[in-house]
Amino acid sequence: MTPNPFIFAALFLISLSAGAYFIIRNWKLARTGQPWTTTASLGYRIKSILVNVLLQKKLMKRPIRGMFHMFIFFGFFVYVIHTSSQIIGGLSGTYFFYIPSFFGHTFLGLYETFLDLFTLLVIFGCLYFWIRRYVFRAPELDRPSIQSIIVIGLILLLMIFTLLESPSRTIILAEGSTFSLRSILVNFVYLLGVDKVQTFFLIGWWGHILTIFAFMIVVPRSKHAHLVWAPLNYWFSSNSPKGKMASLDVENASYWGASHVHEFTWKSYLDTLSCIECGRCQLRCPAARTGKPLSPKDIIVDLKSALMQKMPLAKERLAKGEEGATLTQSGEFKVIDNYISRDAIWACTSCYACAEACPVGNNPLDPIMELRRSSVLNEGAMPAQLQGALQNIENQSNPWGISSDKREEWAEGLQVKTMKEWSESGETPEILYWVGCAGAFDERNKKIARSLVSILNKAKMTFGILGTEESCTGDSARRAGNEYLFQTLAQSNIETLNNYGVKKIVTPCPHCFNTLKNEYPEFNGNYEVLHHSELIDSFIKSGKLEVNSSEPLNLTYHDSCYLGRYNDVYNEPRNSITKGNSALHEPEEHREKSTCCGAGGAQMWMEETGERVNIQRTRDLLKTGATTVATACPFCLTMITDGVKAEGKTETVAVLDVSEIVEEDMK
């Protein structure tokens, strides 16, 4: 008896066509989104595929889960030859077409050993994920998933049928086996009965093929289609600076941001198709950790629901010539409120932990920020406290609302020259010191501004400040969704900087640092920008600064999101504060896994409900037993100081900026 090639071909084409239909349909739906173009080079994209798909870099950040996923992932690669052999055999009308047989006994034996080994490893992987979801009920896997049961079941069936078919084929063809795993399987089949070998083979062969056909139909309709979408997602990945927001044509656009299904970019929709709902983003999200109504996973999954449910009709009406503005006015295709709540989008701290954690390359920040832009610019809707801060920035160029003519008062008595004074003298300083709003107006952060002046003078570096000509860089405005205000501030600051011919900038604020370095270039603001910890570290390494504390500190260090995850500045702050022989005790979550202080994404200016993010982070830092918490961000310093106060530790724990510690060590 041999397989009927016509029946086999019909089954194969039906399953292949069904799977292809859903892949193509969903791709076309996603591509209905707004234009999006990656600037990444071919080399960058190939590297992204190799590192993140083949080597599973992000998955391996959680080694146990990553290892079991690797079993399944590479198991499918090993199975390509085995499954292809059976498909070719079925199409040609024979059960015994087997590609490895054409390469000699040695290759056949090696391949069979790998096949048997990975069959067992894939079974272990499936059992691990099944137990994790349904026995231990991992909290990040909070949605019921019939899809997962079906897909895991199909993979397990595939393995079981292979364990029947492969040794049975070895016996029937008298291939022999000198490899231990195959020998064990062959002996097991003998124990079941030699007379049943043919039956076992047929059950295994057809079971394998029918399971593959079912897989081809089921997977493209499920979240497990990430097998297709995740590599595509990484192929279209961007090499723009992390967290960089796309600019808007604020003058000519008919709408700003996105709040309706046809307004999001097609890349955001590719993200939704790629999502496996693993919950890694949710585990890292400080808002989700503290009970806020935000889960990055839900943002992506809910946006996918909007895509599937509303985009077909929107696509149809757009194809008939209806304007996008008309669809927007109808409210029928609205994502905000109908799928994603406003409370969720305003709970985000923009810490980038979700994007950093995602194993398939998704960035939930993109749709969140577009929803904020739409809410603010199209509807004028935002939290009341945030509205006050934005008005202060607009009126006085700082969120505190303090008169902008007081921006130089922090430097009284320090004989700091402004860029205007340098220009009038006909000289040019080596560097511009961008003080930032916090350093200029917040009483605690004024001390940090003065400490950096002391360090710059000690290192004999000439520098100038803009003084009253400096304005807010616009980070909070942009993250709050007010793109118009951000661009106004950016263009004004860039004009001032370019007029003075500024080439190099140092700032103690990571938010200013990130904005000046990564976002101003789009508006013709191109400068070498250093965070003050980078400059201090370079001074120490070059010998311009000598630090040797007479009383070494018992330190821990809190990583700023905008300095660390956004810009990969991890070593320089640590180097700076430990050169004076102080001992550094890292919190459990540090460097790229550090938890946000809770102030980013304009949260500094909003009231927080429920458990406070800064309190949770402060407790993590206090667990180290350190008596000094070092920070490198004015927002972080404020939030951690408040956290230490709330924990009643102000008498025993100090919160200091990197520059303050170095200044003290210099003495």
Side-chain angles (χ1 to χ4, degrees):
M1 180 182 175
T2 58
N4 186 311
F6 298 104
I7 295 175
F8 186 93
L11 291 173
F12 177 61
L13 288 174
I14 289 170
S15 58
L16 182 64
S17 300
Y21 167 78
F22 288 109
I23 293 294
I24 294 169
R25 185 202 68 169
N26 290 348
W27 175 248
K28 287 183 176 179
L29 275 182
R31 290 289 291 178
T32 308
Q34 295 299 311
W36 185 90
T37 305
T38 179
T39 57
S41 65
L42 178 63
Y44 179 90
R45 292 200 260 178
I46 292 172
K47 180 182 177 182
S48 182
I49 293 283
L50 290 174
V51 170
N52 295 298
V53 178
L54 293 180
L55 299 180
Q56 311 257 297
K57 177 184 176 182
K58 287 194 173 183
L59 278 164
M60 293 309 294
K61 288 182 178 181
R62 301 182 73 86
I64 295 177
R65 270 195 279 171
M67 177 184 68
F68 281 106
H69 190 274
M70 292 278 259
F71 291 166
I72 298 172
F73 178 76
F74 284 108
F76 275 95
F77 279 101
V78 173
Y79 261 71
V80 166
I81 295 176
H82 183 75
T83 301
S84 298
S85 297
Q86 292 189 214
I87 291 174
I88 294 170
L91 291 171
S92 59
T94 175
Y95 285 119
F96 297 109
F97 180 89
Y98 202 58
I99 294 171
S101 300
F102 293 93
F103 294 92
H105 179 71
T106 301
F107 179 82
L108 173 65
L110 284 170
Y111 176 73
E112 293 290 312
T113 299
F114 272 103
L115 182 70
D116 296 340
L117 174 63
F118 272 93
T119 297
L120 296 176
L121 292 177
V122 169
I123 290 173
F124 292 148
C126 289
L127 292 176
Y128 168 81
F129 287 112
W130 188 86
I131 291 169
R132 185 171 174 270
R133 176 180 280 275
Y134 298 107
V135 177
F136 293 106
R137 298 186 180 278
E140 66 272 23
L141 303 174
D142 51 4
R143 292 174 184 249
S145 181
I146 300 300
Q147 293 177 356
S148 293
I149 295 175
I150 294 172
V151 172
I152 289 176
L154 287 173
I155 296 173
L156 285 172
L157 277 175
L158 199 64
M159 301 302 106
I160 291 167
F161 287 132
T162 300
L163 290 176
L164 275 177
E165 179 267 333
S166 293
S168 300
R169 188 193 67 252
T170 298
I171 294 170
I172 293 169
L173 298 180
E175 290 173 334
S177 177
T178 59
F179 297 90
S180 57
L181 277 173
R182 179 49 57 92
S183 299
I184 293 170
L185 292 172
V186 166
N187 290 332
F188 178 73
V189 171
Y190 272 127
L191 286 175
L192 294 175
V194 178
D195 56 325
K196 298 185 179 70
V197 170
Q198 189 77 27
T199 303
F200 290 153
F201 173 77
L202 289 173
I203 292 172
W205 196 95
W206 277 106
H208 182 103
I209 281 297
L210 293 176
T211 302
I212 286 292
F213 290 170
F215 205 81
M216 291 163 66
I217 296 170
V218 170
V219 167
R221 302 181 63 182
S222 73
K223 64 184 183 181
H224 297 274
H226 74 287
L227 292 166
V228 174
W229 303 121
L232 272 177
N233 213 19
Y234 277 115
W235 179 252
F236 289 109
S237 60
S238 173
N239 63 343
S240 297
K242 295 177 185 177
K244 184 182 181 301
M245 293 175 62
S247 293
L248 296 179
D249 183 353
V250 293
E251 298 292 344
N252 302 310
S254 56
Y255 66 90
W256 300 276
S259 61
H260 295 72
V261 71
H262 57 284
E263 294 170 348
F264 292 89
T265 67
W266 68 263
K267 178 59 170 63
S268 286
Y269 284 131
L270 181 57
D271 280 2
T272 72
L273 295 176
S274 303
C275 182
I276 190 61
E277 299 179 37
C278 64
R280 285 173 175 82
C281 58
Q282 185 174 307
L283 280 178
R284 300 301 311 151
C285 176
R289 284 179 162 196
T290 51
K292 308 298 188 297
L294 168 65
S295 162
K297 179 180 76 173
D298 289 348
I299 294 289
I300 295 293
V301 172
D302 292 340
L303 187 58
K304 181 180 180 179
S305 297
L307 170 70
M308 295 301 173
Q309 295 168 15
K310 294 297 182 181
M311 188 62 94
L313 180 57
K315 181 180 177 182
E316 180 183 330
R317 287 171 58 173
L318 289 168
K320 289 179 179 179
E322 193 166 341
E323 295 291 334
T326 307
L327 298 186
T328 299
Q329 290 167 5
S330 72
E332 182 181 357
F333 302 99
K334 201 171 185 181
V335 173
I336 190 74
D337 295 328
N338 293 334
Y339 290 90
I340 298 172
S341 74
R342 292 178 189 270
D343 288 343
I345 67 168
W346 290 115
C348 177
T349 67
S350 73
C351 69
Y352 204 74
C354 56
E356 194 75 8
C358 181
V360 295
N362 290 346
N363 185 0
L365 268 176
D366 283 346
I368 289 173
M369 292 302 155
E370 292 307 306
L371 286 162
R372 283 189 178 188
R373 280 173 164 174
S374 179
S375 181
V376 171
L377 296 176
N378 295 324
E379 303 175 39
M382 69 190 85
Q385 306 89 354
L386 182 57
Q387 186 172 12
L390 293 179
Q391 286 176 345
N392 288 337
I393 294 173
E394 188 172 356
N395 296 331
Q396 297 294 345
S397 77
N398 70 86
W400 282 271
I402 299 171
S403 177
S404 58
D405 61 10
K406 296 184 177 181
R407 197 176 268 273
E408 292 179 31
E409 289 185 358
W410 66 272
E412 285 182 2
L414 295 181
Q415 298 181 330
V416 174
K417 292 173 67 174
T418 65
M419 292 301 292
K420 184 178 181 180
E421 290 170 333
W422 278 104
S423 179
E424 289 172 349
S425 69
E427 297 178 289
T428 302
E430 296 172 81
I431 198 164
L432 169 74
Y433 175 15
W434 188 278
V435 182
C437 298
F441 298 109
D442 179 71
E443 290 301 322
R444 175 65 183 87
N445 279 285
K446 286 180 182 180
K447 297 178 182 178
I448 296 167
R450 295 173 72 89
S451 290
L452 185 53
V453 169
S454 176
I455 292 170
L456 291 168
N457 286 333
K458 187 73 173 179
K460 295 183 171 54
M461 172 165 272
T462 58
F463 65 95
I465 62 172
L466 289 176
T468 57
E469 292 184 274
E470 181 182 299
S471 295
C472 178
T473 57
D475 166 76
S476 288
R478 191 169 225 196
R479 265 66 192 177
N482 195 332
E483 179 71 8
Y484 182 84
L485 178 56
F486 164 74
Q487 290 193 21
T488 301
L489 293 164
Q491 289 161 1
S492 174
N493 283 324
I494 289 168
E495 183 180 356
T496 302
L497 291 167
N498 290 348
N499 282 341
Y500 286 119
V502 171
K503 303 296 183 185
K504 191 172 183 179
I505 301 173
V506 63
T507 178
C509 176
H511 297 263
C512 296
F513 168 69
N514 181 72
T515 305
L516 292 163
K517 179 181 179 182
N518 297 325
E519 299 188 339
Y520 274 23
E522 190 170 356
F523 304 95
N524 196 34
N526 299 289
Y527 318 104
E528 180 187 354
V529 186
L530 297 172
H531 184 255
H532 74 327
S533 64
E534 294 179 294
L535 188 61
I536 291 169
D537 184 46
S538 71
F539 287 160
I540 294 172
K541 287 178 177 176
S542 65
K544 289 184 178 181
L545 281 183
E546 292 185 9
V547 291
N548 189 12
S549 177
S550 58
E551 296 182 15
L553 301 174
N554 180 16
L555 286 169
T556 189
Y557 174 70
H558 165 73
D559 286 284
S560 158
C561 301
Y562 276 68
L563 189 61
R565 266 191 297 274
Y566 274 71
N567 290 284
D568 297 315
V569 178
Y570 294 112
N571 295 325
E572 291 84 349
R574 288 172 168 81
N575 293 341
S576 299
I577 60 178
T578 56
K579 288 298 182 182
N581 301 318
S582 294
L584 182 65
H585 305 282
E586 298 280 15
E588 183 178 352
E589 295 178 316
H590 60 283
R591 300 182 77 91
E592 68 271 8
K593 292 183 179 179
S594 180
T595 305
C596 178
C597 75
Q603 292 294 327
M604 182 77 177
W605 321 111
M606 289 186 268
E607 288 297 325
E608 188 175 348
T609 59
E611 184 182 0
R612 296 182 65 85
V613 173
N614 67 316
I615 300 298
Q616 188 179 85
R617 178 54 175 167
T618 301
R619 287 171 181 163
D620 293 339
L621 295 166
L622 293 177
K623 285 178 185 176
T624 64
T627 54
T628 299
V629 178
T631 65
C633 169
F635 289 179
C636 293
L637 183 133
T638 299
M639 301 300 278
I640 301 303
T641 299
D642 288 349
V644 169
K645 188 182 298 182
E647 292 296 296
K649 299 290 186 179
T650 52
E651 298 297 322
T652 55
V653 177
V655 184
L656 299 173
D657 183 78
V658 166
S659 60
E660 293 179 299
I661 294 172
V662 172
E663 183 191 22
E664 186 62 33
D665 287 346
M666 288 192 315
K667 299 174 183 178

